[in-house]
Amino acid sequence: MKIDFANLNRQYLRYKDEIDASIQSVIDRSAYIMGDEIKLLEEELSIYTGTKHVIACSSGTDALLLSMMAIDIKPGDEVITTPFSFIATAETIAFLGAIPVFVDIEEDSYNIDTSKIEQAITNKTKAIIPVSLYGQPADMDEINAMAKQYGLKVIEDAAQSFGAEYRGKKSCNLSDIGCTSFFPAKPLGCFGDGGAVFTSDDALADKIRSLRVHGQTRRYYHKFIGMGARMDTIQAAILRVKLKYYDEDLKQRQRVAERYAQSLNNNSLKANRTSVWAQFSIEVDHRDELQRLLKEKGVPTAVHYPKPLHLQECFQYLGYKKGDFPIAENIASRILSLPMNPDMNDDEVSYILEQLREV
Ligand SMILES: *Cc1c(COP(=O)(O)O)cnc(C)c1O
């Protein structure tokens, strides 16, 4: 048997007619930039998450940039985040000239360890960016409480957790600002790059909308230095179709995750929250060899992520060294993501589990 890690093609074929018609409609109207679908998608995302404002944009990375620009993150400011994430989380902080300050993660959830945040706060700290990794929200209540005490903003990097719940509220709606990504392999993916910013703060929403289009307040009048960070109308048209069926996708992901969890005796979900299972990851010894053997059996796996951010070459100038964040470093050396997608059938899951047990 040959397994597909994300199986984007099967997902497309399920909704092919509707998606094709939706794309064609944008082309027929030549509504490529800021067509009606953008506003409609934003309204639907707002209803889905319960967030007052949604600003669709060009990627998850740009969502993070727009958010930090909106709260005036400036060169020399410090922003606290996790060393165990995709590079974009910390890269965008550094891109604005601010300083990523890392705090180690928890062993069970792989999310930022809130008990270690306070000692990282200085008088230069402006914001905290927790990541809801693999689809499971971080400890947002504790993080928001600490931020309030120190006058900091909180931006949830919800690139992997769109649709997850935390104490009955949706991810992206758990702090001052939420950012998500619609990169094709994320739980809700479009057919290229896409992202969105979520906030219930009117002033921040206005500013982010302006920053998205070169800081303009009306055409050719520019109040801020902004970006060209719009979402393509075609992507919005695709996402509107996929969003309609998203809760069914999440049920299918949950079904796969339950079978994995049961069979591998692995349950890393914390109380009061759900996961959208962007990844189902396990910890193993001899990871590289295991990966190779599984590949031979037709079971693709992936490593999210092999090198923690504080040890990346691009961040050498920050002066971190090996041993600074032992939990993130240990997990990075042992983590392995199994195939996960809503279109995997029971036979495929059984096959994966069989091969895993064998090797
Ligand atoms: C994917 C991802 C991003 C970046 O999103 P893009 O749409 O690829 O720019 C940021 N943070 C995390 C945690 C991600 O997984």
Side-chain angles (χ1 to χ4, degrees):
M1 205 181 281
K2 192 158 177 340
I3 309 287
D4 208 312
F5 192 82
N7 223 326
L8 298 178
N9 191 249
R10 260 191 220 172
Q11 213 183 98
Y12 165 58
L13 291 177
R14 261 195 286 147
Y15 316 124
K16 181 177 186 312
D17 292 345
E18 250 184 289
I19 288 176
D20 290 358
S22 203
I23 294 172
Q24 190 60 49
S25 151
V26 176
I27 297 172
D28 289 343
R29 288 173 286 127
S30 306
Y32 303 115
I33 301 292
M34 296 304 276
D36 293 344
E37 283 84 352
I38 296 288
K39 203 165 175 29
L40 292 167
L41 174 70
E42 289 176 344
E43 284 167 13
E44 286 155 4
L45 292 171
S46 162
I47 291 166
Y48 187 88
T49 57
T51 318
K52 189 168 173 196
H53 305 285
V54 180
I55 301 98
C57 67
S58 41
S59 70
T61 304
D62 288 344
L64 289 165
L65 274 177
L66 290 168
S67 304
M68 278 187 268
M69 287 161 78
I71 60 168
D72 286 319
I73 296 296
K74 296 234 159 33
D77 290 345
E78 293 179 4
V79 179
I80 292 173
T81 192
T82 160
F84 194 58
S85 179
F86 180 59
I87 186 74
T89 313
E91 175 190 34
T92 46
I93 299 168
F95 189 80
L96 293 174
I99 301 160
V101 174
F102 297 113
V103 166
D104 211 352
I105 56 169
E106 297 179 320
E107 241 160 4
D108 52 357
S109 72
Y110 311 135
N111 283 332
I112 194 166
D113 185 339
T114 47
S115 72
K116 294 180 181 153
I117 291 179
E118 194 160 21
Q119 65 207 52
I121 296 174
T122 74
N123 57 10
K124 289 185 184 159
T125 310
K126 290 286 158 60
I128 307 172
I129 306 188
V131 178
S132 296
L133 199 73
Y134 301 155
Q136 171 176 208
D139 287 334
M140 297 304 290
D141 278 0
E142 289 84 344
I143 294 167
N144 286 328
M146 191 165 310
K148 194 165 175 208
Q149 192 185 332
Y150 288 91
L152 311 175
K153 292 281 189 219
V154 178
I155 300 171
E156 183 198 12
D157 182 343
Q160 303 183 7
S161 60
F162 178 80
E165 287 186 7
Y166 174 85
R167 295 182 193 272
K169 276 174 86 175
K170 287 272 199 276
S171 181
C172 298
N173 185 24
L174 302 175
S175 55
D176 298 301
I177 305 180
C179 293
T180 201
S181 163
F182 302 118
F183 183 82
K186 308 283 177 179
L188 181 62
C190 59
F191 290 4
D193 280 307
V197 184
F198 301 74
T199 183
S200 291
D201 181 309
D202 297 345
L204 280 179
D206 280 349
K207 188 168 178 190
I208 293 165
R209 262 181 222 294
S210 169
L211 289 168
R212 170 176 66 177
V213 190
H214 307 288
Q216 72 179 25
T217 41
R218 59 191 168 107
R219 187 173 255 194
Y220 305 133
Y221 290 80
H222 304 272
K223 180 169 177 183
F224 309 107
I225 293 174
M227 313 206 312
R230 293 166 294 229
M231 174 185 279
D232 293 337
T233 312
I234 284 181
Q235 302 303 344
I238 294 162
L239 284 166
R240 289 190 67 214
V241 175
K242 293 186 71 177
L243 183 61
K244 279 200 290 182
Y245 304 105
Y246 187 55
D247 282 342
E248 286 166 40
D249 282 8
L250 291 185
K251 275 192 204 124
Q252 293 303 314
R253 285 180 178 274
Q254 179 66 24
R255 180 184 57 89
V256 175
E258 269 165 24
R259 282 208 56 204
Y260 278 154
Q262 209 168 30
S263 175
L264 300 166
N265 209 359
N266 167 324
N267 191 348
S268 62
L269 267 198
K270 293 183 74 176
N272 303 318
R273 68 202 82 187
T274 64
S275 175
V276 294
W277 304 107
Q279 307 298 340
F280 190 99
S281 300
I282 57 175
E283 289 170 46
V284 296
D285 301 322
H286 314 294
R287 178 179 64 204
D288 295 351
E289 197 188 349
L290 189 72
Q291 250 196 314
R292 189 176 53 77
L293 291 171
L294 285 170
K295 192 173 171 202
E296 279 171 14
K297 309 270 190 186
V299 178
T301 53
V303 177
H304 306 98
Y305 298 90
K307 197 179 182 101
L309 300 180
H310 66 287
L311 300 177
Q312 294 286 348
E313 196 176 339
C314 65
F315 286 139
Q316 264 180 16
Y317 72 97
L318 293 173
Y320 289 104
K321 55 185 190 316
K322 219 174 162 159
D324 283 346
F325 304 110
I327 299 171
E329 290 167 30
N330 178 46
I331 301 297
S333 72
R334 295 169 45 76
I335 200 80
L336 186 70
S337 301
L338 301 179
M340 168 55 82
N341 64 75
D343 294 278
M344 222 156 32
N345 61 42
D346 285 343
D347 288 348
E348 289 171 318
V349 180
S350 300
Y351 179 79
I352 293 163
L353 287 167
E354 243 167 65
Q355 301 312 312
L356 198 58
R357 225 167 281 130
E358 217 166 275
V359 301

